[in-house]
Amino acid sequence: MANRSLAVLLFGLLTFGALLIAAASRPQAGAAISGEAKSRSNLEGQMPPSFDQDVARVVAEVDRIEADAFVQMENTKLDRQGQVRTLGKLLLFDKHLSVNQNEACSFCHTPETGFTGPIQSLNQTTVSYPGSVRTRFSNRKPQSYMYAPFSPVLHYNALQGDFVGGNFWDMRASGYRLQNPSAEQAQGPPTNPVEMGLPDSACVAYRLSQAPYRKLFETVWGTDSFTIHWPGDAEKVCATSGPPPANDPLPLHLSAADRARTDHVYDQFGLAVSAYEFSPEVSPFTSKYDYVQAGKDKFTQQEELGYALFRSKARCNECHRDGGPGEEPLFTDFTASNLGVPRNPGLQYFYEGQPDRHNYSPNPAGATYIDTGVGSFLRTLQSDSGQLNPDSEWIKLAPKFEAKIQVPTLRNVDMRPTPSFVKAYMHNGYFKSLKEVVHFYNTRDVLLKCKAGDSGEEVTCWPEAEDSTNINERQLGNLKLTDQEEDALVAFLKTLTDGYVVPSPRTAK
């Protein structure tokens, strides 16, 4: 706590103070990960040799952004909306809200990559990212939370025969309880053992009660937010990685009244994060596409062709809707589909079948694991991160949604810090470029089948689907696009990157 108290004193020193905070945090970040990251007993996949350095770099960048948010908090007269958005940003970039105080939510979601995975070496290998316990990895690629708050509360449209809404690849952040899917999505990682790893949601309230921005939280949500009697072992409990013991599911032992108050704090945590994600800083609608639609710029000939294909021959906008009467062009219909994506053997999750040094096995199925997507969520009545099916009537629908994955927005699908930076695509990160994705949509059912690693994979042949249940055979697989048309689609998708600057007449010449 001494370091954090020092940070509070420095916040008032304007920009120079912010730089001091950021500089001071960098070595701490490296120290926080070194012991855990070097304990590789269960990291049996193809871990990149730069793992430690890459993780330390991202932690330092998260610390820098957090320091900037502190300066904003201290030196700007924020209105009510500004207060809750700034609070949400601080929450997303605060690594102290994890069990080992080394991983913020934004460790897996940084601005420069469209708020998704920022480490190229991991995008090329493990795809998923290490949690606060650095030897634990999840089963999926980090999903962008740009435009995530626009998703409706998950519901079943009986006439359409489809689920619509929610957050996460498997829709499990339904929004049913808070009527806000992105707020409930924010509540998932803190208690997920393979992510931020806290053993009890009340530990978020405990850590927030000690945060330098506690006053801002109380300004937004009430001065009595943290009038909670904490047990003497609170620090010890909250520094013990989850999941909690089966016989003690709420190991931070509180009175009924204090438990209710921490539950409120956890809800407010999620709602503040959602408010930040709704802000123009995260969901700005500033892509070239937006400027073209506003009549302030024009597509190139190739981009124009790509957009025409997107809306016709390629059938993209049947799922990635580009708007309609009264609709924002969000480039998703918020449903789910099984595209037949091949298994990605590089996922570290396949190697997590044995208990780690904390006696936890993230994936008891080991190499035989198959991601069953929305179907798995619909059957979930117990979860380490509390994301449960809220409607028992939905359980009987699970077979119809087996292996389906949520249709993501295509906005910022190409956002990257440099042109050569490698991103991973789809829920399991099997694809490493937009060209590969488009080629798969175009030729999945045309090219020969092969095994992973075979010569010609992703060019002249495709491996079988990881799970062929409920596979989408109507909207992709044999689009009959030429190579030039594939390239045109990629060119159009790149126009969906936010932060576009319309060239001046002089620059355009």
Side-chain angles (χ1 to χ4, degrees), residues 102-148:
N102 62 343
E103 177 156 302
C105 293
S106 285
F107 174 79
C108 300
H109 310 269
T110 59
E112 64 181 4
T113 54
F115 286 91
T116 185
I119 299 177
Q120 175 171 289
S121 62
L122 295 185
N123 296 341
Q124 294 173 307
T125 54
T126 66
V127 174
S128 60
Y129 279 54
S132 183
V133 178
R134 294 299 193 211
T135 54
R136 296 178 182 176
F137 290 69
S138 66
N139 60 332
R140 297 180 183 130
K141 176 187 102 74
Q143 191 173 18
S144 172
Y145 47 59
M146 298 187 83
Y147 302 94

Side-chain angles (χ1 to χ4, degrees), residues 226-459:
F226 300 107
T227 55
I228 299 166
H229 176 73
W230 300 108
D233 64 348
E235 183 59 44
K236 179 180 179 181
V237 169
C238 294
T240 304
S241 61
N247 63 352
D248 191 14
L250 299 174
L252 195 57
H253 299 152
L254 302 165
S255 68
D258 286 337
R259 173 61 61 175
R261 196 173 294 279
T262 63
D263 287 345
H264 284 310
V265 169
Y266 202 47
D267 288 346
Q268 292 155 353
F269 158 83
L271 291 167
V273 167
S274 179
Y276 172 62
E277 292 174 355
F278 245 131
S279 74
E281 190 171 325
V282 182
S283 304
F285 295 97
T286 57
S287 69
K288 180 175 184 179
Y289 168 85
D290 295 301
Y291 284 106
V292 170
Q293 298 308 304
K296 298 180 179 180
D297 202 357
K298 293 182 179 180
F299 287 134
T300 66
Q301 186 175 3
Q302 186 184 42
E303 292 164 352
E304 186 70 49
L305 172 60
Y307 187 37
L309 291 165
F310 186 91
R311 296 173 57 86
S312 57
K313 184 178 178 181
R315 308 183 69 174
C316 304
N317 78 326
E318 292 182 21
C319 296
H320 297 282
R321 287 184 57 81
D322 58 333
E327 288 185 32
E328 295 274 18
L330 295 170
F331 291 90
T332 176
D333 63 357
F334 302 106
T335 64
S337 182
N338 179 9
L339 306 179
V341 176
R343 171 188 173 96
N344 180 4
L347 282 173
Q348 175 62 30
Y349 195 68
F350 292 130
Y351 301 92
E352 297 183 77
Q354 299 300 315
D356 61 17
R357 67 186 184 88
H358 302 284
N359 201 35
Y360 175 64
S361 303
N363 175 27
T368 65
Y369 170 80
I370 294 176
D371 192 339
T372 55
V374 177
S376 178
F377 158 62
L378 295 176
R379 295 191 304 273
T380 299
L381 300 178
Q382 183 177 358
S383 168
D384 289 334
S385 58
Q387 305 286 342
L388 310 178
N389 178 348
D391 189 337
S392 60
E393 289 295 309
W394 291 354
I395 298 173
K396 61 188 178 185
L397 298 171
K400 181 181 176 182
F401 290 88
E402 205 77 20
K404 291 189 177 183
I405 299 292
Q406 187 178 55
V407 176
T409 177
L410 294 181
R411 283 185 171 272
N412 297 298
V413 70
D414 190 59
M415 184 178 283
R416 62 189 74 223
T418 64
S420 63
F421 182 88
V422 177
K423 298 183 74 170
Y425 294 97
M426 301 300 182
H427 67 287
N428 66 0
Y430 175 82
F431 303 105
K432 309 303 180 185
S433 72
L434 287 174
K435 174 68 173 181
E436 290 176 10
V437 174
V438 172
H439 189 56
F440 177 76
Y441 272 63
N442 186 29
T443 65
R444 183 196 66 191
D445 301 338
V446 177
L447 300 182
L448 297 173
K449 296 302 179 185
C450 57
K451 295 182 180 179
D454 281 359
S455 176
E457 182 185 1
E458 301 183 0
V459 179

